[in-house]
Amino acid sequence: MLGGRRILLIIGGGIAAYKALELIRRLRERGAAVVPVLTRAGAEFVTPLSVSALAGEKVYQQLFDLTAEAEMGHIQLSRAADLVVVAPATADLMAKMAGGHADDLASTLLMATDKRVLIAPAMNVRMWEHPATQRNSATLRSDGVLFVGPNAGDMACGEHGPGRMAEPAEIITAVEAALGSGAAQGPLAGRHVIVTSGPTHEPIDPVRYIANRSSGRQGAAIAASLRDLGARVTFVTGPAEMPPPEGVAVAHVQTAREMLAAVETALPADAVICAAAVADWHVTNGAAQKMKKDRGGPPVLKFAENPDILAQISQPGPQRPALVVGFAAETENVAENATTKRARKGCDWIVANDVSAGTGIMGGAENAVTLITDAGAEAWPRMVKPEVARRLAERIAQALA
Ligand code: C5P
């Protein structure tokens, strides 16, 4: 809950601005006061009237608004808040922030604030992937700016990929985490951990996909345990049965390629835990329209290999996290196969489990794991997944200490 918290919400100019209206409503439902700032471009997408009606506050738009300056100058405005949220954060706003510009109200507030800033980027996929935006994003992260999203998916412009603004519920979770994390306690306080979780969906046509039985239970439990030890957690999840835990930043993805992009966006991190059951293949000859059975016999699908997220993150380099943990779902010779996998992937630890028929582990409530580290294999007794998560999070905290 956000009772008594004051959020300065800067609404940039993008089609996702309409989601800012929902965000205001939800922030207020949780007890927060929302002071809205609308950029000139933002006002092309949502009206000042709807913003101020939902916020129940005056909407600030102009830097040189004399009454506003008399009532409250931009310095005070930026500091009276507990958190500054930019949603949507456009490519232009991010560039201004990274460059330290202060030529309108929004950019001036962002320069003048002494509070944490959380941004929800939203833009066309090419704009997001443009080297300039990626450079700005890296600069902002190293300046301590918090990110939520962008998510991958279909975009208003008709393209597909990362660039969609995070959903209001995800932004709320990130707001709660940002406001809570100032006081984060525990052995992982100040650490950033990325957890991948759930299955991936690899589309065949607009209504069909290839998936697996992963429920996302183990990944969600690990994210929650890391959060409980004080970590700032980015939870990158495929379409799982389990809702993401509270108090973590969530990136929703569908495919393996989107998952890799989301993990790379979330770097740098102190640790990455790859608990997702990532599809090994994606369909290369999928159809743009629903496949019909009366079109000359059954379709023949062609496949290409998906990127191996775990192996890619484990590669040596400046962004290599201190600890990379992979999972190995095996149906025989668990410890042996997992040890080989650890070497092949280049990760530090492997959490191996036996998912052969009859164990009930995949999609089930319990897990029996063997932890493979450079010290060898350690078989843990069978226990419920949250307990496996708790013990694993403690080991991670010890390793990062
Ligand atoms: O290769 P295999 O699927 O058995 O390896 C499992 C481990 O690798 C898990 O940690 C899983 O999250 C990760 N993985 C990945 N990207 C893939 C395939 C697996 O990150 N494309």
Side-chain angles (χ1 to χ4, degrees), residues 196 274-280 306-310 326-328 341 344-345:
T196 72
C274 291
V278 184
D280 290 323
N306 274 331
D308 191 313
I309 303 164
L310 177 61
F327 278 68
K341 187 166 292 180
R344 183 161 42 81
K345 303 257 188 176

Side-chain angles (χ1 to χ4, degrees), residues 51-72:
V51 171
S52 68
L54 283 167
E57 296 256 0
K58 173 186 163 70
V59 50
Y60 293 86
Q61 291 182 270
Q62 303 288 340
L63 180 55
F64 299 107
D65 180 337
L66 288 182
T67 23
E69 285 292 315
E71 283 165 11
M72 183 186 271

Side-chain angles (χ1 to χ4, degrees), residues 202-254:
E202 307 294 336
I204 297 171
D205 70 14
V207 296
R208 302 183 179 96
Y209 55 83
I210 292 169
N212 59 62
R213 292 188 199 287
S214 165
S215 63
R217 247 196 209 100
Q218 187 65 80
I222 292 168
S225 294
L226 292 163
R227 171 206 64 200
D228 291 345
L229 295 185
R232 177 166 74 81
V233 179
T234 302
F235 187 63
V236 181
T237 178
E241 277 167 40
M242 289 298 293
E246 295 280 309
V248 302
V250 186
H252 287 283
V253 298
Q254 297 280 330

